[in-house]
């Protein structure tokens, strides 16, 4: 550790690549040379984020008890895991990403760490109380965000709706709210040329089905298979085009809703209309294979997929 550089400890709830994980990795690539950095990641999700961070020569710790779902016993244990890392690393700044890490991280700093001497920044890519939760769970998260806001110095949101919502709900951090939109350097975006990208996706389907695959029009999306992404609505929409042999729907991504989506596709007889392509490394590079990009989400903050599709010059 270099003693004359400031230390930042990042804590994030899940390792599965999504908006918060994308933000974290992008940020780390920009600031890695200027700070001493350590990242602590919850145990939910795959290895992709951890491997990407380690490729930057940044130390990563796994918080075994930090998980997305509320569990009082695990959550208390997670606080002590966080305490140990804070006391070991002694950060100047504690940077919390996503709702669970935001609450437990600031709770630990406020009530478990004695006389904390660091600033707490909380960055949220979309309030979790806007998820399609039951009413009681939405209310619980509103209260948790409101309760814990004064324990944080700054809360960063990435869209105006969430910024205004925080003000309306009296989510007031110690020093204030900050609105910082997501952004891309469009001149560094690299896409596989349209025909090559289509051919690679067709080959992927052909290998799986054992049949040669072709089509004229591709309606596509890239998303984790989560309830918030509204993919059941996309499949239900595809049913209207069931007899149109020139059009198919591609969904690139993986997640917990796969069995539900597979069942819906089968029930509606859409096995030759809607294709779940799973995870594809650097999926955004394939965007120009699509003719239309669809974002059917029921809740978003400021989605990377949307601005990537715009950069690929797709109708959205």
């Amino acid at each position: 550790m270099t003693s004359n550089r400031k230390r930042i400890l990042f804590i994030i709830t899940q390792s599965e690549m999504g908006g918060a994980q994308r933000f974290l990795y992008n940020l780390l690539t920009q600031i890695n040379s200027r700070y001493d950095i350590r990242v602590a990641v919850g145990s939910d999700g795959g290895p992709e984020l951890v491997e990407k961070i380690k490729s930057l020569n940044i130390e990563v710790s796994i918080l075994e008890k930090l998980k997305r779902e509320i569990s009082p016993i695990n959550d208390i244990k997670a606080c002590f895991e966080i305490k140990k890392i804070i006391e070991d690393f002694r950060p100047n700044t504690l940077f919390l990403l996503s709702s669970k890490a935001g609450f437990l991280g600031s709770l630990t700093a406020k009530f478990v760490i004695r006389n904390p001497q660091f600033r707490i920044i909380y960055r949220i890519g979309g309030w979790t109380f806007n998820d399609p939760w039951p009413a009681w769970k939405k209310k619980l998260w509103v209260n948790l965000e409101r309760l814990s806001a004064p324990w944080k110095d700054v809360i960063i949101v990435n869209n105006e709706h969430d910024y205004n919502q925080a003000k309306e709900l009296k989510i007031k951090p110690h020093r204030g709210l900050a609105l910082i939109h997501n952004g891309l350097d469009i001149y560094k975006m690299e896409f596989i040329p349209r025909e090559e990208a289509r051919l690679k996706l067709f080959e992927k389907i052909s290998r799986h089905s054992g049949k040669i695959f072709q089509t004229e029009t591709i309606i596509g999306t890239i998303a984790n298979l989560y309830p918030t992404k509204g993919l059941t609505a996309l499949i239900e929409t595809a049913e209207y085009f069931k007899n149109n042999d020139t059009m198919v729907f591609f969904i690139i991504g993986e997640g917990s809703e796969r069995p539900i989506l597979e069942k819906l596709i089968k029930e509606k007889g859409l096995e030759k209309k809607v294709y779940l392509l799973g995870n594809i490394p650097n999926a955004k590079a394939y965007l120009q294979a699509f003719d239309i990009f669809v974002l059917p989400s029921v809740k978003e903050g400021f989605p990377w997929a949307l601005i990537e599709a715009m950069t690929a010059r797709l109708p959205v």
Side-chain angles (χ1 to χ4, degrees):
M1 185 182 296
T2 307
S3 59
N4 63 346
R5 296 201 301 182
K6 290 187 176 180
R7 299 181 298 279
I8 306 176
L9 172 60
F10 291 89
I11 301 179
I12 188 165
T13 308
Q14 293 179 284
S15 61
E16 191 168 28
M17 289 302 292
Q21 292 77 11
R22 170 77 180 275
F23 167 84
L24 173 59
Y25 178 73
N26 286 351
L27 179 61
L28 293 177
T29 62
Q30 299 298 314
I31 68 172
N32 189 23
S33 62
R34 289 182 281 152
Y35 300 93
D36 288 319
I37 296 171
R38 187 166 172 182
V39 178
V41 180
S43 57
D44 284 344
E48 185 178 357
L49 176 66
V50 173
E51 290 173 359
K52 288 168 77 74
I53 295 172
K54 285 182 176 179
S55 73
L56 301 174
N57 294 318
I58 293 173
E59 184 177 353
V60 182
S61 300
I62 305 299
L63 299 170
E64 296 293 343
K65 301 302 179 182
L66 178 59
K67 301 177 182 294
R68 189 167 189 247
E69 289 303 316
I70 293 173
S71 168
I73 294 175
N74 278 335
D75 293 344
I76 291 170
K77 290 180 178 179
C79 287
F80 285 95
E81 288 181 316
I82 293 169
K83 175 179 182 286
K84 187 176 185 302
I85 290 176
I86 290 173
E87 290 178 339
D88 176 56
F89 188 64
R90 294 177 290 108
N92 302 102
T93 300
L94 179 62
F95 200 122
L96 308 170
L97 296 109
S98 61
S99 304
K100 195 70 173 294
F103 181 77
L104 293 182
S106 57
L107 175 70
T108 302
K110 178 72 174 178
F111 297 105
V112 183
I113 300 291
R114 292 184 179 179
N115 191 28
Q117 297 295 313
F118 47 82
R119 178 174 295 185
I120 300 176
I121 298 173
Y122 172 43
R123 190 264 184 187
I124 185 72
W127 298 116
T128 194
F129 50 73
N130 289 328
D131 282 19
W133 302 123
W136 69 265
K137 198 169 184 180
K138 289 173 178 281
K139 187 173 182 180
L140 172 64
W141 272 110
V142 168
N143 289 329
L144 290 177
E145 294 287 8
R146 189 186 290 136
L147 172 68
S148 62
W151 308 340
K152 299 148 183 166
D153 291 286
V154 176
I155 296 179
I156 300 171
V157 295
N158 65 6
N159 64 91
E160 191 170 353
H161 174 267
D162 284 4
Y163 182 85
N164 291 334
Q165 215 175 10
K167 287 185 170 294
E168 291 168 8
L169 294 170
K170 296 181 171 54
I171 297 172
K172 297 179 180 179
H174 181 60
R175 297 194 180 197
L177 290 163
L179 172 59
I180 304 175
H181 296 108
N182 291 342
L184 295 175
D185 185 341
I186 63 172
Y187 299 105
K188 291 183 179 179
M189 293 288 291
E190 295 182 358
F191 299 105
I192 299 171
R194 173 180 166 83
E195 293 307 319
E196 181 184 349
R198 289 169 74 93
L199 182 60
K200 288 184 175 182
L201 295 181
F202 293 166
E203 287 176 347
K204 182 178 177 67
I205 295 172
S206 297
R207 284 196 303 271
H208 180 71
S209 65
K211 299 177 181 179
I212 295 174
F213 183 90
Q214 280 187 318
T215 191
E216 293 179 19
T217 304
I218 299 174
I219 314 298
T221 193
I222 300 174
N224 287 325
L225 309 188
Y226 295 160
T228 55
K229 296 302 179 180
L231 296 169
T232 54
L234 182 59
I235 292 169
E236 288 164 356
T237 300
E239 190 175 15
Y240 289 92
F241 302 92
K242 191 172 184 178
N243 298 319
N244 183 338
D245 294 334
T246 67
M247 181 186 296
V248 294
F249 292 73
F250 285 179
I251 299 172
I252 298 176
E254 197 54 79
S256 58
E257 277 227 317
R258 173 178 273 275
I260 295 171
L261 301 178
E262 288 176 335
K263 182 181 178 183
L264 184 61
I265 290 168
K266 188 174 182 179
E267 285 176 351
K268 294 186 176 295
L270 298 173
E271 293 92 338
K272 295 182 179 180
K273 180 61 60 179
V274 181
Y275 294 87
L276 303 179
L277 300 182
N279 276 333
I280 296 178
N282 194 28
K284 61 182 178 293
Y286 291 82
L287 276 167
Q288 291 185 343
F290 298 165
D291 295 284
I292 298 172
F293 183 87
V294 179
L295 188 76
S297 302
V298 297
K299 173 250 182 176
E300 285 286 355
F302 194 125
W304 295 103
L306 183 65
I307 50 179
E308 287 166 349
M310 293 167 68
T311 304
R313 299 185 177 185
L314 291 176
V316 177

